[in-house]
Coordinates of all heavy atoms in Angstrom, one line a residue:
M2 N 99.5 120.5 89.5 CA 99.7 119.5 88.6 C 98.4 119.6 87.7 O 97.3 119.8 88.1 CB 99.8 118.2 89.2 CG 100.9 118.0 90.1 SD 101.6 116.4 89.9 CE 103.0 116.8 90.9
E3 N 98.7 119.4 86.3 CA 97.6 119.6 85.4 C 96.7 118.5 85.1 O 95.4 118.6 85.0 CB 98.1 120.2 84.1 CG 99.0 121.5 84.3 CD 99.5 121.9 83.1 OE1 99.3 121.3 82.0 OE2 100.4 122.8 83.2
N4 N 97.1 117.4 85.0 CA 96.3 116.2 84.7 C 96.7 114.9 85.4 O 97.7 114.9 86.2 CB 96.6 115.9 83.1 CG 97.9 115.6 82.7 OD1 98.6 114.9 83.2 ND2 98.4 116.4 81.7
D5 N 95.9 113.8 85.2 CA 96.1 112.7 86.0 C 97.5 112.1 85.6 O 98.2 111.5 86.5 CB 95.1 111.7 85.7 CG 93.8 111.9 86.4 OD1 93.7 112.8 87.4 OD2 92.7 111.3 86.1
Y6 N 97.9 112.1 84.3 CA 99.3 111.5 84.0 C 100.4 112.1 84.8 O 101.2 111.4 85.4 CB 99.5 111.7 82.5 CG 100.9 111.2 82.1 CD1 101.1 109.9 81.9 CD2 102.0 112.0 82.0 CE1 102.4 109.4 81.6 CE2 103.2 111.6 81.8 CZ 103.4 110.2 81.4 OH 104.7 109.8 81.2
D7 N 100.3 113.4 84.9 CA 101.4 114.1 85.7 C 101.3 113.9 87.2 O 102.2 113.7 87.9 CB 101.3 115.6 85.6 CG 101.7 116.1 84.2 OD1 102.5 115.3 83.5 OD2 101.2 117.2 83.8
R8 N 100.1 113.6 87.7 CA 99.9 113.3 89.1 C 100.3 111.9 89.4 O 101.1 111.7 90.4 CB 98.3 113.5 89.5 CG 97.8 115.0 89.4 CD 96.4 115.0 89.7 NE 96.0 114.4 90.9 CZ 94.9 113.7 91.3 NH1 94.0 113.4 90.3 NH2 94.7 113.3 92.5
I9 N 100.0 111.0 88.6 CA 100.4 109.7 88.8 C 101.9 109.5 88.6 O 102.5 108.8 89.4 CB 99.6 108.7 87.9 CG1 98.1 108.7 88.3 CG2 100.2 107.3 87.8 CD1 97.3 108.1 87.4
R10 N 102.5 110.2 87.6 CA 104.0 110.2 87.5 C 104.7 110.7 88.7 O 105.7 110.1 89.0 CB 104.3 111.1 86.2 CG 105.8 111.0 85.8 CD 106.1 109.8 85.2 NE 107.3 109.3 85.8 CZ 107.8 108.1 85.9 NH1 107.1 107.2 85.0 NH2 108.7 107.8 86.5
A11 N 104.2 111.7 89.2 CA 104.7 112.2 90.5 C 104.6 111.2 91.6 O 105.6 111.0 92.4 CB 104.1 113.6 90.9
G12 N 103.5 110.5 91.7 CA 103.3 109.4 92.7 C 104.3 108.3 92.4 O 104.9 107.8 93.4
I13 N 104.6 107.9 91.2 CA 105.5 106.8 90.8 C 106.9 107.4 91.2 O 107.6 106.6 91.8 CB 105.4 106.6 89.4 CG1 104.1 105.8 89.0 CG2 106.6 105.6 88.9 CD1 103.8 105.6 87.6
D14 N 107.2 108.6 91.0 CA 108.5 109.0 91.4 C 108.7 109.0 92.8 O 109.9 108.4 93.3 CB 108.8 110.5 90.8 CG 109.0 110.7 89.4 OD1 109.1 109.5 88.7 OD2 108.8 111.8 88.8
F15 N 107.8 109.4 93.6 CA 107.9 109.3 95.0 C 108.0 108.0 95.6 O 108.9 107.6 96.4 CB 106.7 110.1 95.7 CG 106.7 110.1 97.2 CD1 107.6 110.9 97.8 CD2 105.8 109.3 97.9 CE1 107.5 111.0 99.3 CE2 105.9 109.2 99.2 CZ 106.6 110.1 99.9
M16 N 107.2 107.1 95.1 CA 107.2 105.7 95.6 C 108.4 104.9 95.0 O 108.8 103.9 95.9 CB 105.9 105.0 95.1 CG 104.6 105.4 95.7 SD 104.8 105.6 97.6 CE 104.9 103.8 98.0
T17 N 109.1 105.3 93.9 CA 110.2 104.8 93.5 C 111.4 105.1 94.5 O 112.2 104.2 95.0 CB 110.5 105.2 92.1 OG1 109.6 104.7 91.2 CG2 111.9 104.6 91.7
A18 N 111.3 106.3 94.9 CA 112.4 106.7 96.0 C 112.1 106.1 97.3 O 113.0 105.7 97.9 CB 112.3 108.2 96.1
Y19 N 110.9 105.8 97.6 CA 110.5 105.2 98.9 C 111.0 103.7 98.8 O 111.6 103.2 99.7 CB 108.8 105.2 99.1 CG 108.4 104.2 100.2 CD1 108.5 104.6 101.5 CD2 108.0 103.0 99.8 CE1 108.1 103.8 102.5 CE2 107.5 102.2 100.9 CZ 107.6 102.6 102.2 OH 107.2 101.8 103.3
A20 N 110.7 103.1 97.6 CA 111.1 101.6 97.6 C 112.5 101.4 97.5 O 113.0 100.3 97.8 CB 110.5 101.0 96.3
T21 N 113.3 102.5 96.9 CA 114.8 102.4 96.9 C 115.5 102.5 98.2 O 116.4 101.8 98.5 CB 115.3 103.5 96.0 OG1 114.6 103.3 94.7 CG2 116.7 103.4 95.8
G22 N 114.7 103.1 99.2 CA 115.4 103.2 100.6 C 115.3 104.6 101.1 O 115.1 105.5 100.4
N23 N 115.7 104.6 102.5 CA 115.5 105.9 103.2 C 116.4 107.0 102.7 O 116.0 108.1 102.5 CB 115.9 105.7 104.6 CG 114.7 104.9 105.3 OD1 113.5 105.0 104.9 ND2 115.1 104.3 106.6
D24 N 117.7 106.6 102.2 CA 118.5 107.7 101.8 C 117.9 108.2 100.4 O 117.9 109.5 100.3 CB 119.9 107.1 101.4 CG 120.6 106.8 102.7 OD1 120.1 107.2 103.9 OD2 121.6 105.9 102.7
S25 N 117.5 107.5 99.6 CA 117.0 107.9 98.3 C 115.7 108.8 98.6 O 115.5 109.8 97.9 CB 116.6 106.8 97.3 OG 117.8 106.1 96.9
L26 N 114.8 108.3 99.4 CA 113.7 109.1 99.7 C 114.0 110.4 100.4 O 113.4 111.5 100.0 CB 112.7 108.2 100.7 CG 111.4 108.8 101.1 CD1 110.6 109.3 99.8 CD2 110.6 108.1 102.0
T27 N 114.8 110.4 101.3 CA 115.3 111.8 101.9 C 115.8 112.7 100.8 O 115.5 113.9 100.8 CB 116.3 111.4 102.9 OG1 115.7 110.6 104.0 CG2 116.8 112.8 103.7
Q28 N 116.7 112.1 99.9 CA 117.4 113.1 98.9 C 116.2 113.4 98.0 O 116.2 114.7 97.6 CB 118.3 112.1 98.2 CG 119.0 112.9 97.0 CD 120.0 112.1 96.1 OE1 120.3 111.0 96.7 NE2 120.5 112.7 95.2
Y29 N 115.3 112.6 97.6 CA 114.2 113.0 96.6 C 113.3 114.1 97.3 O 113.1 115.1 96.6 CB 113.3 111.8 96.2 CG 112.2 112.1 95.3 CD1 112.4 112.4 94.0 CD2 110.9 112.2 96.0 CE1 111.2 112.7 93.3 CE2 109.8 112.5 95.3 CZ 110.0 112.7 93.9 OH 108.9 113.1 93.0
V30 N 112.8 113.9 98.4 CA 112.0 114.8 99.2 C 112.9 116.3 99.3 O 112.2 117.2 99.1 CB 111.6 114.3 100.6 CG1 110.9 115.5 101.3 CG2 110.6 113.2 100.3
G31 N 114.1 116.1 99.6 CA 114.9 117.4 99.8 C 115.0 118.2 98.5 O 114.8 119.4 98.4
E32 N 115.2 117.4 97.4 CA 115.3 118.0 96.1 C 114.0 118.7 95.6 O 113.9 119.8 95.2 CB 115.7 117.1 95.0 CG 117.2 116.6 95.1 CD 117.4 115.5 94.2 OE1 116.7 115.0 93.3 OE2 118.7 115.0 94.2
Q33 N 112.8 118.0 95.9 CA 111.6 118.5 95.5 C 111.1 119.7 96.4 O 110.8 120.6 95.8 CB 110.5 117.4 95.7 CG 110.6 116.3 94.8 CD 110.5 116.7 93.5 OE1 109.6 117.2 93.0 NE2 111.5 116.2 92.6
R34 N 111.5 119.7 97.6 CA 111.3 120.8 98.4 C 112.1 122.2 98.0 O 111.7 123.3 98.1 CB 111.5 120.6 99.9 CG 110.3 119.7 100.4 CD 110.5 119.5 101.9 NE 109.3 118.8 102.6 CZ 109.3 118.1 103.6 NH1 110.4 118.1 104.4 NH2 108.1 117.6 104.0
R35 N 113.3 121.8 97.7 CA 114.2 122.9 97.4 C 113.7 123.6 96.0 O 113.9 124.8 95.8 CB 115.6 122.4 97.2 CG 116.7 123.4 97.0 CD 118.2 122.8 97.0 NE 118.2 121.6 96.3 CZ 118.4 120.2 96.8 NH1 118.5 120.1 98.2 NH2 118.6 119.3 96.1
D36 N 113.3 122.8 95.0 CA 112.9 123.2 93.7 C 111.5 123.8 93.7 O 111.2 124.6 92.8 CB 113.0 122.1 92.8 CG 114.4 121.7 92.6 OD1 115.3 122.4 92.9 OD2 114.7 120.5 92.1
N37 N 110.7 123.4 94.7 CA 109.2 123.8 94.7 C 108.6 124.0 95.9 O 108.5 123.0 96.7 CB 108.6 122.8 93.8 CG 107.0 122.9 93.6 OD1 106.5 123.8 94.2 ND2 106.4 122.0 92.9
P38 N 108.1 125.2 96.3 CA 107.6 125.3 97.6 C 106.3 124.6 98.0 O 106.0 124.2 99.1 CB 107.2 126.8 97.7 CG 107.7 127.5 96.5 CD 108.2 126.3 95.6
A39 N 105.6 124.0 96.9 CA 104.3 123.3 97.0 C 104.7 121.7 96.9 O 103.7 121.0 96.7 CB 103.3 123.8 96.1
A40 N 105.9 121.4 97.1 CA 106.4 120.1 96.8 C 105.7 119.0 97.6 O 105.1 117.9 97.2 CB 107.8 119.8 97.0
A41 N 105.5 119.2 98.9 CA 104.8 118.4 99.9 C 103.4 118.1 99.4 O 103.0 116.9 99.4 CB 104.9 118.8 101.3
E42 N 102.6 119.1 99.1 CA 101.3 118.9 98.6 C 101.2 118.1 97.3 O 100.4 117.2 97.2 CB 100.6 120.3 98.5 CG 99.2 120.4 98.0 CD 98.6 121.6 97.8 OE1 98.9 122.6 98.7 OE2 97.8 121.8 96.8
Q43 N 102.1 118.4 96.3 CA 102.2 117.7 95.1 C 102.7 116.2 95.3 O 102.0 115.4 94.6 CB 103.0 118.4 94.2 CG 102.4 119.7 93.7 CD 103.4 120.5 92.7 OE1 104.5 120.1 92.6 NE2 102.9 121.5 92.2
M44 N 103.5 116.0 96.2 CA 104.0 114.5 96.5 C 102.7 113.7 97.1 O 102.4 112.7 96.7 CB 105.1 114.4 97.3 CG 106.5 114.9 96.6 SD 108.0 114.6 97.7 CE 107.9 116.1 98.6
L45 N 102.0 114.4 97.9 CA 100.8 113.8 98.6 C 99.8 113.6 97.5 O 99.2 112.4 97.4 CB 100.3 114.6 99.7 CG 99.1 114.2 100.5 CD1 99.3 112.8 101.1 CD2 98.6 115.1 101.5
D46 N 99.5 114.6 96.7 CA 98.5 114.4 95.7 C 98.9 113.3 94.7 O 98.1 112.5 94.2 CB 98.3 115.8 94.9 CG 97.3 115.7 93.8 OD1 96.1 115.5 94.1 OD2 97.7 115.8 92.6
G47 N 100.2 113.4 94.3 CA 100.6 112.3 93.4 C 100.5 110.9 93.8 O 100.2 109.9 93.2
T48 N 100.8 110.7 95.2 CA 100.8 109.4 95.8 C 99.4 109.0 96.0 O 99.1 107.8 95.6 CB 101.5 109.5 97.1 OG1 102.9 110.0 96.9 CG2 101.5 108.0 97.7
A49 N 98.5 110.0 96.2 CA 97.0 109.5 96.3 C 96.5 109.1 95.0 O 95.7 108.1 94.7 CB 96.2 110.8 96.8
A50 N 96.9 109.8 93.9 CA 96.4 109.6 92.5 C 97.0 108.2 92.1 O 96.2 107.4 91.5 CB 96.9 110.6 91.6
L51 N 98.3 107.9 92.4 CA 98.7 106.5 92.2 C 98.1 105.4 92.9 O 97.7 104.4 92.3 CB 100.2 106.4 92.5 CG 101.0 105.1 92.4 CD1 100.8 104.7 90.9 CD2 102.4 105.2 92.7
C52 N 97.8 105.7 94.2 CA 96.9 104.7 94.9 C 95.7 104.5 94.4 O 95.1 103.3 94.4 CB 96.9 105.1 96.4 SG 98.4 105.0 97.3
A53 N 95.0 105.5 94.0 CA 93.6 105.3 93.4 C 93.7 104.5 92.1 O 92.8 103.7 91.9 CB 93.0 106.7 93.1
L54 N 94.7 104.8 91.3 CA 94.8 104.0 90.1 C 95.0 102.5 90.4 O 94.5 101.6 89.8 CB 95.9 104.6 89.3 CG 96.4 103.7 88.0 CD1 95.2 103.9 87.0 CD2 97.6 104.2 87.4
L55 N 95.9 102.3 91.3 CA 96.2 100.9 91.7 C 95.0 100.2 92.3 O 94.8 99.0 92.1 CB 97.4 100.9 92.7 CG 98.7 101.2 92.2 CD1 99.9 101.3 93.1 CD2 99.1 100.3 91.0
L56 N 94.3 100.9 93.1 CA 93.0 100.4 93.7 C 92.0 100.0 92.7 O 91.4 98.9 92.7 CB 92.5 101.3 94.7 CG 91.1 100.9 95.4 CD1 91.3 99.6 96.2 CD2 90.7 102.1 96.4
R57 N 91.8 101.0 91.6 CA 90.9 100.6 90.6 C 91.4 99.4 89.7 O 90.5 98.6 89.4 CB 90.7 101.8 89.7 CG 90.0 103.0 90.2 CD 89.6 104.0 89.2 NE 90.8 104.6 88.5 CZ 91.4 105.7 89.0 NH1 90.9 106.3 90.1 NH2 92.4 106.2 88.4
K58 N 92.7 99.3 89.5 CA 93.2 98.1 88.8 C 93.0 96.8 89.6 O 92.6 95.8 88.9 CB 94.8 98.4 88.6 CG 95.3 97.3 87.7 CD 96.8 97.6 87.3 CE 97.5 96.5 86.6 NZ 96.7 95.1 86.3
A59 N 93.3 96.9 90.8 CA 93.2 95.7 91.7 C 91.6 95.2 91.7 O 91.4 94.0 91.6 CB 93.6 96.0 93.1
A60 N 90.7 96.2 91.7 CA 89.3 95.9 91.7 C 89.0 95.2 90.4 O 88.2 94.3 90.3 CB 88.5 97.1 92.0
G61 N 89.4 95.9 89.3 CA 89.1 95.3 88.0 C 89.7 93.9 87.8 O 89.1 92.9 87.2
D62 N 90.9 93.7 88.2 CA 91.6 92.4 88.2 C 91.0 91.3 89.0 O 91.0 90.1 88.5 CB 93.1 92.6 88.5 CG 93.9 93.3 87.5 OD1 93.4 93.6 86.4 OD2 95.1 93.7 87.8
T63 N 90.4 91.6 90.1 CA 89.9 90.7 91.0 C 88.4 90.5 90.9 O 87.8 89.6 91.5 CB 90.3 91.0 92.4 OG1 89.7 92.1 92.9 CG2 91.7 91.1 92.6
G64 N 87.7 91.5 90.3 CA 86.1 91.4 90.3 C 85.6 91.8 91.7 O 84.3 91.8 91.9
R65 N 86.4 92.4 92.6 CA 85.9 92.8 93.8 C 85.7 94.2 93.9 O 86.4 94.9 93.1 CB 86.9 92.4 95.0 CG 86.8 90.8 95.1 CD 88.0 90.2 95.8 NE 88.2 90.6 97.1 CZ 89.4 90.7 97.7 NH1 90.4 90.2 97.1 NH2 89.4 91.0 99.0
T66 N 84.9 94.8 94.8 CA 84.9 96.3 94.9 C 86.0 96.9 95.5 O 86.8 96.2 96.3 CB 83.6 96.7 95.7 OG1 83.8 96.3 97.0 CG2 82.3 96.1 95.2
Q67 N 86.2 98.2 95.3 CA 87.4 99.0 95.9 C 87.2 98.9 97.4 O 88.2 98.7 98.0 CB 87.4 100.4 95.4 CG 87.8 100.5 93.9 CD 87.7 101.9 93.3 OE1 87.7 102.8 94.1 NE2 87.5 102.0 92.1
H68 N 86.0 99.0 97.9 CA 85.7 99.0 99.3 C 86.3 97.6 100.0 O 86.8 97.6 101.0 CB 84.2 99.2 99.5 CG 83.9 99.4 101.0 ND1 84.4 100.5 101.8 CD2 83.3 98.6 101.9 CE1 83.9 100.3 102.9 NE2 83.3 99.2 103.1
E69 N 85.9 96.5 99.2 CA 86.4 95.1 99.7 C 87.8 95.1 99.8 O 88.3 94.5 100.8 CB 85.7 94.1 98.8 CG 84.1 93.9 98.9 CD 83.6 93.0 97.8 OE1 84.3 92.9 96.7 OE2 82.7 92.3 98.1
I70 N 88.5 95.6 98.8 CA 90.0 95.6 98.8 C 90.5 96.4 99.9 O 91.5 96.0 100.7 CB 90.6 96.1 97.5 CG1 90.1 95.0 96.4 CG2 92.0 96.3 97.5 CD1 90.4 95.4 95.0
L71 N 90.0 97.6 100.1 CA 90.4 98.4 101.3 C 90.1 97.8 102.6 O 91.1 97.8 103.6 CB 89.7 99.8 101.3 CG 90.1 100.7 100.1 CD1 89.3 101.9 100.0 CD2 91.6 101.1 100.3
Q72 N 89.1 97.0 102.8 CA 88.7 96.4 104.0 C 89.7 95.2 104.2 O 90.2 95.0 105.3 CB 87.3 95.9 104.0 CG 86.1 96.9 104.3 CD 84.9 96.2 104.4 OE1 84.6 95.2 103.5 NE2 84.0 96.8 105.0
E73 N 90.1 94.5 103.2 CA 90.9 93.5 103.2 C 92.4 94.0 103.7 O 93.1 93.4 104.5 CB 91.2 92.7 102.0 CG 92.1 91.5 102.0 CD 92.3 90.7 100.7 OE1 91.4 90.7 99.9 OE2 93.3 90.1 100.5
L74 N 92.8 95.1 103.0 CA 94.1 95.7 103.5 C 94.1 96.1 104.9 O 95.1 95.8 105.6 CB 94.3 96.9 102.5 CG 94.7 96.6 101.1 CD1 94.7 98.0 100.3 CD2 96.1 96.0 100.9
A75 N 93.0 96.7 105.4 CA 93.0 97.1 106.8 C 93.0 96.0 107.7 O 93.7 96.0 108.7 CB 91.6 97.9 107.0
H76 N 92.4 94.9 107.3 CA 92.4 93.6 108.1 C 93.7 93.1 108.2 O 94.2 92.6 109.2 CB 91.4 92.7 107.6 CG 91.2 91.4 108.3 ND1 90.6 91.3 109.7 CD2 91.7 90.2 108.1 CE1 90.8 90.1 110.1 NE2 91.3 89.3 109.2
G77 N 94.4 93.0 107.0 CA 95.8 92.5 106.9 C 96.7 93.3 107.8 O 97.6 92.8 108.5
I78 N 96.6 94.7 107.8 CA 97.6 95.4 108.6 C 97.2 95.2 110.0 O 98.2 95.2 110.9 CB 97.2 97.0 108.2 CG1 97.6 97.3 106.9 CG2 97.9 97.9 109.3 CD1 99.0 97.6 106.6
Q79 N 96.0 95.0 110.5 CA 95.6 94.9 111.7 C 96.2 93.5 112.2 O 97.0 93.4 113.4 CB 94.1 94.8 112.0 CG 93.7 94.6 113.5 CD 92.1 94.4 113.7 OE1 91.5 94.3 112.7 NE2 91.8 94.7 114.9
E80 N 96.1 92.4 111.5 CA 96.8 91.1 111.8 C 98.3 91.3 111.9 O 98.9 90.7 112.8 CB 96.3 90.1 110.7 CG 94.9 89.7 110.9 CD 94.6 88.5 109.8 OE1 95.5 88.3 108.9 OE2 93.4 88.0 109.9
H81 N 98.8 92.0 110.9 CA 100.3 92.2 111.0 C 100.7 92.9 112.3 O 101.7 92.5 112.9 CB 100.7 92.9 109.7 CG 102.2 93.2 109.8 ND1 103.1 92.3 109.4 CD2 102.9 94.3 110.0 CE1 104.4 92.8 109.4 NE2 104.2 94.0 109.8
E82 N 100.0 93.9 112.7 CA 100.4 94.6 113.9 C 100.2 93.8 115.2 O 101.1 93.7 116.1 CB 99.5 95.9 114.0 CG 99.9 97.0 113.2 CD 99.1 98.2 113.1 OE1 98.0 98.2 113.9 OE2 99.4 99.1 112.5
Q83 N 99.3 92.9 115.2 CA 99.0 92.0 116.2 C 100.1 91.0 116.3 O 100.6 90.7 117.5 CB 97.6 91.4 116.2 CG 96.5 92.2 116.5 CD 95.2 91.5 116.2 OE1 95.0 90.4 115.7 NE2 94.1 92.2 116.7
L84 N 100.5 90.5 115.3 CA 101.6 89.4 115.3 C 103.0 90.1 115.7 O 103.7 89.6 116.4 CB 101.8 88.8 113.9 CG 100.6 87.9 113.4 CD1 100.9 87.5 111.9 CD2 100.6 86.6 114.3
A85 N 103.1 91.4 115.3 CA 104.3 92.1 115.7 C 104.4 92.3 117.1 O 105.3 92.1 117.8 CB 104.4 93.4 115.0
E86 N 103.2 92.6 117.7 CA 103.0 92.9 119.2 C 103.3 91.6 119.9 O 104.0 91.6 121.0 CB 101.7 93.5 119.5 CG 101.4 94.9 119.1 CD 100.1 95.4 119.4 OE1 99.2 94.7 120.0 OE2 99.8 96.6 118.9
E87 N 102.8 90.5 119.4 CA 103.0 89.3 120.1 C 104.5 88.9 120.1 O 104.9 88.3 121.0 CB 102.1 88.2 119.5 CG 100.6 88.3 119.7 CD 99.8 87.4 118.8 OE1 100.3 86.6 118.2 OE2 98.5 87.6 118.9
G88 N 105.0 89.1 119.1 CA 106.5 88.7 118.8 C 107.4 89.6 119.8 O 108.5 89.2 120.3
Q89 N 107.0 90.8 120.1 CA 107.7 91.7 120.9 C 107.6 91.4 122.3 O 108.5 91.5 123.1 CB 107.3 93.2 120.8 CG 107.7 93.7 119.5 CD 107.3 95.2 119.2 OE1 106.5 95.6 120.2 NE2 107.6 95.9 118.2
G90 N 106.4 90.8 122.7 CA 106.1 90.3 124.1 C 106.8 89.1 124.5 O 106.9 88.7 125.6
A91 N 107.3 88.2 123.5 CA 107.9 87.1 123.8 C 109.3 87.2 124.2 O 110.0 88.1 124.1 CB 107.9 86.2 122.6

C-alpha cells in the first residue's frame, strides 16, 4: 500500500465486513486472499492504520492522551471479561 489513505481505506473495508457479520467477513477475507497473496498482511496493516487514526481522533476529541485512552480500553476489557466469567459461574 502506498499511502495512509489507501491503508485506512483497506482498514475501513475490513472492519465494514467485520461489522456486517461472520459471513461477510469470511467472504471478504476469501476474496482478498484469492486476489492477492499479501492480503493478510495488507488487511492487518490497514486495520492498524485505521485504529491509529481513530485513537488520534479520540485523543483530540477528549483532550486525553492516546496512552490514557488505551489504558481505559484495557481496563474496560478486563472488567467485561470478569463480568462474563462471573455470569458463567452462576
Side-chain angles (χ1 to χ4, degrees):
M2 302 220 170
E3 297 176 13
N4 59 47
D5 283 344
Y6 176 82
D7 290 336
R8 292 173 64 218
I9 292 167
R10 181 76 234 164
I13 291 170
D14 289 346
F15 179 77
M16 291 308 297
T17 299
Y19 170 81
T21 303
N23 287 337
D24 291 340
S25 293
L26 181 60
T27 300
Q28 180 180 355
Y29 176 79
V30 170
E32 289 171 0
Q33 294 300 309
R34 286 184 173 162
R35 188 173 44 254
D36 295 341
N37 179 0
E42 182 179 320
Q43 289 178 353
M44 285 184 279
L45 179 61
D46 178 68
T48 304
L51 176 59
C52 288
L54 175 67
L55 293 171
L56 181 59
R57 286 192 301 271
K58 180 175 178 1
D62 289 350
T63 63
R65 294 163 56 204
T66 68
Q67 293 177 22
H68 187 72
E69 289 171 329
I70 292 169
L71 290 170
Q72 283 182 326
E73 181 179 334
L74 288 169
H76 182 72
I78 295 276
Q79 182 181 16
E80 285 182 352
H81 177 76
E82 288 177 353
Q83 287 175 346
L84 290 172
E86 288 175 7
E87 291 172 6
Q89 289 177 359

